[in-house]
């Protein structure tokens, strides 16, 4: 019965086709626009580019960062992602106030309303704490996004050179869900060199400082587009708290699919996700053909939790591992890549041992360990977003990032301005997003973007109560001290009177009782001193 309800909800929602956010706006994919290099689409609300008439934004030149890069990519002028997005566009919409979007037609994260003036904070919940109705709705939204073609965005199927420098556009349609799979693929794909060579040591979203801000932005966009697609502005991504997990608790047919009864790599036919086809999962084939992922189906979603290389990942992260990682005070260190020691980013990403902070490329810890453990589509960096568990996993990683930000309260200077691997400097625009945002803009607390996590919000509410009582106590501490001193004085006076009375009485008492009274007197004196 529940399955029928979910299918009905998905079918109804398919009638709604709002805009989504991603890389190449459909309005900017023509030869005319590519040759002009100006991507400033009209906002339908007032008929002007970037909603300029309404004060939403203006069409401006793109100014890229000139800070020096690290040595990891020793080339220049061979990759379309260098100095993003100037190979394709050198003018884009720059939105103002609380507006965002490729044409400034959306509200910034954390704002809603016709003029984007209403601020709100949504709470992301742990997957096992949401209701059955919320869980069913989430799965229905995933299926809706998988089967709905994006009306506003297309993906590139060739390089700018293969497009004859813009005169022969190579773009194609893609579903809303697969758009985000493609975005993750494009940011992490290898670079084509001269001849048949490729350069693998390049990634605009991993293995360097931007890992956490990039994925924070990615998840916010993913969440925002599901909200618009489903017409549900209160939707939030659930997260999977995998601390101390002994198995994949969400790998059941009720959630994201158990293992197929006759194959340990396929999903159970009872799961909605057993019918899902993956995209962007064959990087070696793309390198051989020197082409880009074109969004076509490449086979079923694969997952085989626990049947991984245990010498690389002996177990899933523990609460102690997370706490040890959070204790690291430096966001980034040394070469600012996967060899960085005592780096919170590198340790949380999983290239360093959380107990020591020392980089060890033979081991996969923390974030990386989940990708290895799930042992299927999630285990390939470029295609990992095919598995819906990807967003739940990364939402929890983002919550750990948020814990670190709140605990250490770093300034923006903690994020490196220069000498990071290509794509990872503070002022570099995140690849491959339009609208444009720098890495540094998302090195900021989650509540700046209108969201929080249930377990962090609950912990802070308790801390707020204690803080409030401590603050009140601080305001009246002088009165408390004065009362204690006055009380002590009165007690001393009373004790003196009683003592004198007892001494007078002692003279009339027999010699046998005197030691007991002396003991009581000594005890009373000590007690008064302690008080």
């Amino acid at each position: 019965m529940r399955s029928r309800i979910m299918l009905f909800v998905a079918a109804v929602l398919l009638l709604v086709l709002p805009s989504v956010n991603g890389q190449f706006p459909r309005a900017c994919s023509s030869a005319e626009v590519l040759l002009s290099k100006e991507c400033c689409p009209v906002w339908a609300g007032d008929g002007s580019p970037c909603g300029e008439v309404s004060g939403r934004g203006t069409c401006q030149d793109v100014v890229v960062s000139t800070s020096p890069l690290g040595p990891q990519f020793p080339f220049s002028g061979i990759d379309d992602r260098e100095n993003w997005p100037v190979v394709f566009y050198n003018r884009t919409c720059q939105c103002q106030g609380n507006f965002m979007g490729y044409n400034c037609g959306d509200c910034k994260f954390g704002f809603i309303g016709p003029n984007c003036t209403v601020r709100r904070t949504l709470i992301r919940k742990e997957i096992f704490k949401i209701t059955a109705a919320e869980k069913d709705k989430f799965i229905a939204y995933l299926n809706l996004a998988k089967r709905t073609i994006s009306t506003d965005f297309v993906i590139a199927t060739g390089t700018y050179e293969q497009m004859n420098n813009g005169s022969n556009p190579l773009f194609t349609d893609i579903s809303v869900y697969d758009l985000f799979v493609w975005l993750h693929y494009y940011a992490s794909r290898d670079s084509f060199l001269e001849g048949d060579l490729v350069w693998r040591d390049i990634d605009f979203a991993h293995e360097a400082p931007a890992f956490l801000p990039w994925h924070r932005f990615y998840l916010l966009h993913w969440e925002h587009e599901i909200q618009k697609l489903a017409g549900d502005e209160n939707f939030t991504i659930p997260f999977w708290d995998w601390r101390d997990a002994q198995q994949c608790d969400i790998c059941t047919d009720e959630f994201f699919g158990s293992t197929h009864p006759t194959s340990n790599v396929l999903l159970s036919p009872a799961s909605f996700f057993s019918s899902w086809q993956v995209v962007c999962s064959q990087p070696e084939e793309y390198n051989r053909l020197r082409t880009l992922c074109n969004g076509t189906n490449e086979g079923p979603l694969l997952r085989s939790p626990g049947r991984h290389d245990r010498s690389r990942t002996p177990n899933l992260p523990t609460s102690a591992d997370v706490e040890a990682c959070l204790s690291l005070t430096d966001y980034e260190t040394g070469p600012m890549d996967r060899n960085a020691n005592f780096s919170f980013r590198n340790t949380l990403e999983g290239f360093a041992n959380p107990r020591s902070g020392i980089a060890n490329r033979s081991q996969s810890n923390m974030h990386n360990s989940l990708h290895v453990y799930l042992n299927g589509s999630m285990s390939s960096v470029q295609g990992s977003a095919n598995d819906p568990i990807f967003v739940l996993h990364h939402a929890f990683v983002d919550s750990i990032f948020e814990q670190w930000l709140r605990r250490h309260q770093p300034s923006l200077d903690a994020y490196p301005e220069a000498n990071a691997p290509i794509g990872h400097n503070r002022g570099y625009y995140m690849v491959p997003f339009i609208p444009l945002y720098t890495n540094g803009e998302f090195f900021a607390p989650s509540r700046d973007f209108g969201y929080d996590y249930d377990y962090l919000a609950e912990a802070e509410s308790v801390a707020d109560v204690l803080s409030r009582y401590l603050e009140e106590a601080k305001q009246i501490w002088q009165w408390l001290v004065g009362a204690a001193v006055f009380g002590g004085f009165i007690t001393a006076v009373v004790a003196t009177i009683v003592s004198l009375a007892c001494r007078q009485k002692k003279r009339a008492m027999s010699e046998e009782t005197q030691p007991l009274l002396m003991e009581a007197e000594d005890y009373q004196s000590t007690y008064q001193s302690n008080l």
Side-chain angles (χ1 to χ4, degrees), residues 332-522:
E332 196 56 87
T333 63
M336 297 181 276
D337 58 17
R338 59 181 177 267
N339 298 309
N341 294 321
F342 310 114
S343 156
F344 167 73
R345 186 278 313 163
N346 200 40
T347 304
L348 178 54
E349 190 168 358
F351 293 106
N353 187 312
R355 302 302 179 97
S356 67
I358 301 299
N360 183 351
R361 294 176 64 175
S362 69
Q363 296 285 301
S364 293
N365 301 292
M366 299 300 288
H367 152 267
N368 288 348
S369 68
L370 271 294
H371 284 278
V372 173
Y373 171 82
L374 289 172
N375 193 32
S377 300
M378 271 279 277
S379 301
S380 166
V381 175
Q382 296 179 24
S384 56
N386 276 293
D387 195 325
I389 292 178
F390 176 92
V391 290
L392 284 84
H393 168 46
H394 272 275
F396 187 60
V397 171
D398 183 73
S399 79
I400 299 174
F401 176 35
E402 183 61 25
Q403 285 191 70
W404 187 86
L405 290 173
R406 295 185 190 183
R407 180 178 300 189
H408 299 283
Q409 299 185 359
S411 68
L412 185 57
D413 290 337
Y415 190 100
E417 181 181 11
N419 301 313
I422 185 170
H424 291 263
N425 282 345
R426 187 194 310 162
Y428 211 100
Y429 289 123
M430 295 184 189
V431 175
F433 300 107
I434 293 177
L436 304 177
Y437 289 101
T438 64
N439 295 313
E441 289 179 78
F442 284 79
F443 187 75
S446 67
R447 283 173 293 199
D448 288 1
F449 309 110
Y451 74 101
D452 202 348
Y453 290 94
D454 58 3
Y455 75 107
L456 298 183
E458 290 164 5
E460 288 215 340
S461 65
V462 173
D464 288 343
V465 171
L466 292 174
S467 176
R468 188 165 63 250
Y469 280 119
L470 289 172
E471 186 62 30
E472 291 173 359
K474 193 189 299 181
Q475 299 296 326
I476 64 171
W477 73 271
Q478 299 97 331
W479 297 98
L480 293 173
V481 171
V485 171
F486 181 72
F489 173 74
I490 294 298
T491 304
V493 170
V494 172
T496 301
I497 293 171
V498 171
S499 178
L500 289 172
C502 287
R503 280 179 185 152
Q504 298 225 339
K505 187 176 179 181
K506 275 193 287 184
R507 295 194 186 103
M509 293 177 66
S510 64
E511 286 292 322
E512 298 109 41
T513 62
Q514 285 188 25
L516 292 175
L517 285 172
M518 286 297 293
E519 288 174 10
E521 197 175 322
D522 290 340

Side-chain angles (χ1 to χ4, degrees), residues 41-287:
V42 168
W43 177 53
D46 65 10
S48 67
C50 311
E52 183 172 4
V53 170
S54 301
R56 287 177 168 252
T58 57
C59 188
Q60 296 183 19
D61 292 343
V62 174
V63 180
V64 298
S65 170
T66 58
S67 297
L69 306 174
Q72 291 85 355
F73 185 69
F75 307 99
S76 179
I78 66 166
D79 194 298
D80 293 344
R81 299 166 295 181
E82 295 177 53
N83 295 317
W84 179 262
V86 296
V87 168
F88 294 97
Y89 313 111
N90 56 26
R91 283 174 64 80
T92 63
C93 289
Q94 302 295 307
C95 304
Q96 301 166 354
N98 296 334
F99 303 109
M100 74 170 190
Y102 68 90
N103 62 356
C104 302
D106 291 333
C107 294
K108 267 186 178 179
F109 302 125
F111 291 89
I112 57 174
N115 296 310
C116 305
T117 55
V118 179
R119 187 162 184 81
R120 55 94 176 262
T121 300
L122 297 175
I123 303 296
R124 292 178 180 173
K125 302 176 184 177
E126 213 277 332
I127 185 66
F128 292 110
K129 293 182 180 178
I130 64 176
T131 65
E134 288 173 326
K135 183 261 297 177
D136 289 347
K137 184 168 64 173
F138 177 52
I139 294 176
Y141 288 175
L142 287 170
N143 279 283
L144 172 66
K146 185 72 171 176
R147 290 166 172 76
T148 303
I149 297 298
S150 170
T151 57
D152 281 0
F153 282 85
V154 291
I155 60 169
T157 59
T159 65
Y160 191 67
E161 181 182 11
Q162 291 168 346
M163 295 185 196
N164 196 20
N165 298 326
S167 63
N168 180 35
L170 296 173
F171 298 101
T172 192
D173 292 338
I174 196 164
S175 75
V176 174
Y177 186 95
D178 288 345
L179 171 66
F180 283 87
V181 177
W182 189 92
L183 291 170
H184 192 263
Y185 146 79
Y186 190 81
S188 56
R189 72 174 181 85
D190 299 333
S191 185
F192 300 147
L193 303 181
E194 295 293 332
D196 296 330
L197 301 177
V198 297
W199 188 263
R200 300 178 188 278
D201 192 13
I202 183 171
D203 194 315
F204 290 81
H206 304 87
E207 302 181 13
F211 169 69
L212 292 168
W214 191 96
H215 283 86
R216 170 160 286 192
F217 180 77
Y218 175 94
L219 290 176
L220 277 164
H221 263 305
W222 194 98
E223 189 173 64
H224 184 62
E225 301 320 322
I226 297 295
Q227 290 169 354
K228 293 198 298 180
L229 177 65
D232 182 357
E233 65 180 14
N234 294 316
F235 165 77
T236 57
I237 297 172
F239 64 91
W240 175 31
D241 183 349
W242 33 248
R243 289 175 295 183
D244 305 310
Q246 300 300 310
Q247 60 187 1
C248 180
D249 301 326
I250 57 176
C251 295
T252 65
D253 291 337
E254 181 185 2
F255 288 97
F256 300 100
S258 60
T259 302
H260 195 283
T262 61
S263 170
N264 59 18
V265 297
L266 297 175
L267 299 186
S268 163
S271 168
F272 274 105
F273 303 102
S274 63
S275 64
W276 276 31
Q277 290 280 308
V278 300
V279 299
C280 304
S281 64
Q282 300 176 354
E284 295 305 320
E285 186 69 5
Y286 310 144
N287 289 345

